[in-house]
Amino acid sequence: MANETEAVKFYYDYKSPFTYLAFEPALALERSHRVQVRFIPFPVDLRSSYGGELEQRTDDNWFKVRYLYADARRFANQRGIIIRGPQKLFDSRLALQGGIYADSHGRFREYSALVFERFFKRELDLENPSALAPALAEAGVDHSGFADFAASRGPAALADAIAEGERDRVFGVPTIIAGNEPFWGNDRVEWVIKKLDAMGLRRPAREGQP
């Protein structure tokens, strides 16, 4: 039917600069098309992908990492976004549980925007609950129950999300799934738009206005 809304999946990780770059364009899909974007956490293993711990990386590993961040900054500079490479390998699982918690309170977008921006300015420790609680509060979430959530239901909720990603054969982030077709990378959002257009989901111009 003409007014039906299509579900679009967006797999993300807060420590991925390319996911940060894709985040706002993914939100814009809901304004331009009849879609509902569902954000699903999927932590990527940077150790196995880029040569292990920092002190174990070879010159070739470091060349690859530096190139990828240079590429990310090229995209970021076009939009006035700051991306600084993290100075350690972060475990993002606690911050991702924060995303699930914020989503359950209807404030995922606000929380995620804060986390992405501050992490890539080197102003937020993804592993520190004392740093994440203020981010939740600033996003409009009552964070009083977050510690209990992270100690009980949070890990299982994240495990369920990872299992869904594995069923969808996600191998990296950001991955967007539209019409059962996967698109990997921030520069694939334009292809997602073409896919949604082909599915007849573009909103009339006036419908997409605030």
Side-chain angles (χ1 to χ4, degrees):
M1 294 177 63
N3 293 323
E4 285 185 349
T5 299
E6 178 78 10
V8 170
K9 295 183 181 182
F10 182 99
Y11 285 96
Y12 71 95
D13 188 355
Y14 292 126
K15 63 180 179 286
S16 161
F18 295 101
T19 304
Y20 180 22
L21 291 166
F23 179 64
E24 285 297 335
L27 292 177
L29 294 174
E30 294 185 337
R31 297 190 292 273
S32 61
H33 294 78
R34 296 192 310 278
V35 299
Q36 179 68 46
V37 181
R38 179 170 162 241
F39 292 90
I40 305 170
F42 193 84
V44 293
D45 183 0
L46 298 181
R47 288 173 174 82
S48 63
S49 299
Y50 301 109
E53 301 292 340
L54 299 184
E55 62 274 11
Q56 296 175 318
R57 288 177 174 171
T58 65
D59 287 344
D60 286 345
N61 294 145
W62 277 114
F63 180 83
K64 181 178 181 181
V65 170
R66 291 186 180 111
Y67 173 82
L68 289 171
Y69 267 93
D71 239 8
R73 282 191 289 271
R74 290 185 186 106
F75 285 111
N77 289 341
Q78 291 180 325
R79 294 163 51 192
I81 294 173
I82 295 173
I83 290 182
R84 298 189 177 108
Q87 296 177 305
K88 58 170 277 189
L89 292 175
F90 282 88
D91 182 339
S92 57
R93 287 175 295 178
L94 183 63
L96 292 171
Q97 290 176 50
I100 296 171
Y101 185 78
D103 200 16
S104 72
H105 289 74
R107 306 296 289 179
F108 171 82
R109 289 155 172 77
E110 294 81 0
Y111 168 79
S112 295
L114 286 169
V115 171
F116 276 126
E117 179 181 0
R118 292 179 184 171
F119 177 67
F120 284 105
K121 286 183 176 179
R122 298 179 182 167
E123 296 174 352
L124 179 69
D125 183 344
L126 297 180
E127 300 173 354
N128 185 349
S130 297
L132 294 173
L136 285 164
E138 191 170 341
V141 179
D142 178 0
H143 62 85
S144 59
F146 177 59
D148 178 67
F149 175 81
S152 55
R153 304 183 308 281
L158 180 58
D160 287 345
I162 293 169
E164 182 173 354
E166 290 171 347
R167 291 193 298 272
D168 283 336
R169 298 185 175 181
V170 172
F171 56 85
V173 294
T175 292
I176 300 174
I177 298 180
N180 295 318
E181 185 175 354
F183 299 85
W184 174 54
N186 66 294
D187 54 347
R188 304 310 199 273
V189 176
E190 290 185 6
W191 294 359
V192 174
I193 291 171
K194 291 178 180 178
K195 174 72 174 182
L196 298 176
D197 284 347
M199 295 170 67
L201 293 170
R202 183 172 286 275
R203 296 181 185 275
R206 63 183 182 280
E207 186 182 342
Q209 297 299 318

